[in-house]
């Protein structure tokens, strides 16, 4: 459910070409989105938050109630902590900023459908800060540090800053392919499947600074 035609067309093209998914678009209003959901009952809902006739948070809450098995992702220009946390609490399993859309959006959707929390690094930091604030009310043992090597920790720091594999390679003087190998090792050790989840785990385990 997206109110910007250019963004909608780009996402629809990527999903149809690379993920072989049937895509139904509801452009413009919350009312159109509700009608489309009632008719199609999709497996995945991708919504913006700022819609002309309402807030996408209402759509998320309604979808979570009416279609509990449907996965919900937010794509928005709104990246402040209050908005991100509100969307997650309303029932969104994924959240990515429009300026931080992954190059292969089909992987984002496949991870979402597999049940993974799909968060861009900046969004993951907001969620971690919320969890850390909530945890201050109780005494908990510090989570164990994953057995990452020094180089893997360096790569993880750059991932948390939002750098691409190519940029990380330039900073460290290694090839993009080698960076990719480090990223795969980090995912395996942190038991995650995407960059946002890696940042979430890294900050929560005190591997990098929030």
């Amino acid at each position: 459910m997206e109110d910007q035609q250019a963004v909608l067309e780009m996402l629809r093209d990527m999903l149809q070409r690379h993920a072989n998914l049937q895509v139904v678009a509801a452009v413009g209003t919350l009312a159109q989105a509700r009608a489309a959901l009632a008719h199609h009952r999709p497996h995945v809902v991708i919504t913006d938050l700022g819609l002309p006739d309402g807030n996408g948070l209402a759509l998320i809450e309604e979808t979570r109630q009416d279609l509990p098995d449907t996965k919900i992702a937010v794509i928005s220009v709104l990246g402040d902590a209050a908005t991100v946390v509100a969307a997650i609490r309303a029932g969104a399993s994924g959240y990515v900023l429009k300026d931080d859309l992954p190059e292969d959006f089909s992987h984002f959707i496949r991870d979402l459908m597999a049940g993974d929390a799909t968060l861009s690094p900046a969004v993951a930091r907001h969620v971690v800060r919320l969890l850390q604030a909530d945890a201050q009310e109780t005494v908990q043992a510090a989570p164990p540090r994953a057995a990452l090597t020094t180089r893997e920790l360096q790569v993880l720091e750059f991932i948390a800053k939002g750098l691409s594999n190519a940029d990380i390679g330039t900073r460290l003087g290694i090839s993009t392919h080698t960076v990719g190998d480090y990223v795969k090792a980090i995912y395996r050790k942190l038991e995650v499947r995407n960059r946002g989840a890696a940042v979430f785990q890294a900050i929560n385990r005190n591997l990098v600074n929030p």
Side-chain angles (χ1 to χ4, degrees):
M1 300 13 172
E2 170 58 55
D3 65 342
Q4 294 184 11
Q5 184 68 31
V7 175
L8 175 68
E9 292 297 336
M10 178 189 67
L11 296 178
R12 179 162 52 187
D13 180 65
M14 281 194 291
L15 292 176
Q16 289 178 335
R17 286 194 299 115
H18 299 296
N20 195 28
L21 297 175
Q22 180 181 2
V23 180
V24 177
V27 184
T29 69
L30 186 60
Q32 289 174 319
R34 286 169 171 155
L37 285 172
H39 181 70
H40 296 285
R41 304 182 69 82
H43 296 295
V44 177
V45 169
I46 305 169
T47 185
D48 200 345
L49 294 179
L51 301 176
D53 58 339
N55 193 310
L57 290 175
L59 184 69
I60 295 172
E61 292 173 347
E62 293 167 11
T63 302
R64 178 58 59 233
Q65 181 176 359
D66 298 338
L67 303 171
D69 294 330
T70 295
K71 308 298 183 183
I72 306 169
V74 173
I75 298 178
S76 179
V77 297
L78 303 174
D80 61 282
T83 300
V84 170
V85 170
I88 299 298
R89 283 178 167 164
S93 300
Y95 199 117
V96 63
L97 303 180
K98 286 184 180 179
D99 291 338
D100 196 26
L101 284 172
E103 293 181 4
D104 188 348
F105 192 71
S106 63
H107 285 174
F108 177 93
I109 295 302
R110 290 190 186 282
D111 286 343
L112 189 73
M113 294 175 69
D116 294 332
T118 49
L119 308 173
S120 63
V123 170
R125 286 193 286 271
H126 287 322
V127 177
V128 169
R129 289 191 185 103
L130 171 68
L131 294 178
Q132 289 175 335
D134 289 344
Q136 289 178 357
E137 298 180 1
T138 59
V139 178
Q140 297 180 347
R145 291 175 62 90
L148 270 62
T149 66
T150 300
R151 180 65 90 184
E152 288 166 354
L153 287 171
Q154 289 177 320
V155 171
L156 188 56
E157 285 277 2
F158 286 128
I159 290 175
K161 293 177 181 178
L163 271 66
S164 67
N165 284 7
D167 290 335
I168 295 172
T170 299
R171 297 285 187 93
L172 296 178
I174 58 179
S175 70
T176 302
H177 177 76
T178 300
V179 174
D181 289 339
Y182 282 124
V183 171
K184 290 177 182 177
I186 291 168
Y187 286 1
R188 184 180 67 255
K189 291 179 179 181
L190 296 183
E191 299 181 348
V192 298
R193 296 181 60 178
N194 57 70
R195 297 170 84 87
V199 173
F200 181 95
Q201 290 293 340
I203 298 175
N204 202 35
R205 298 185 188 190
N206 297 318
L207 299 176
V208 300
N209 294 320

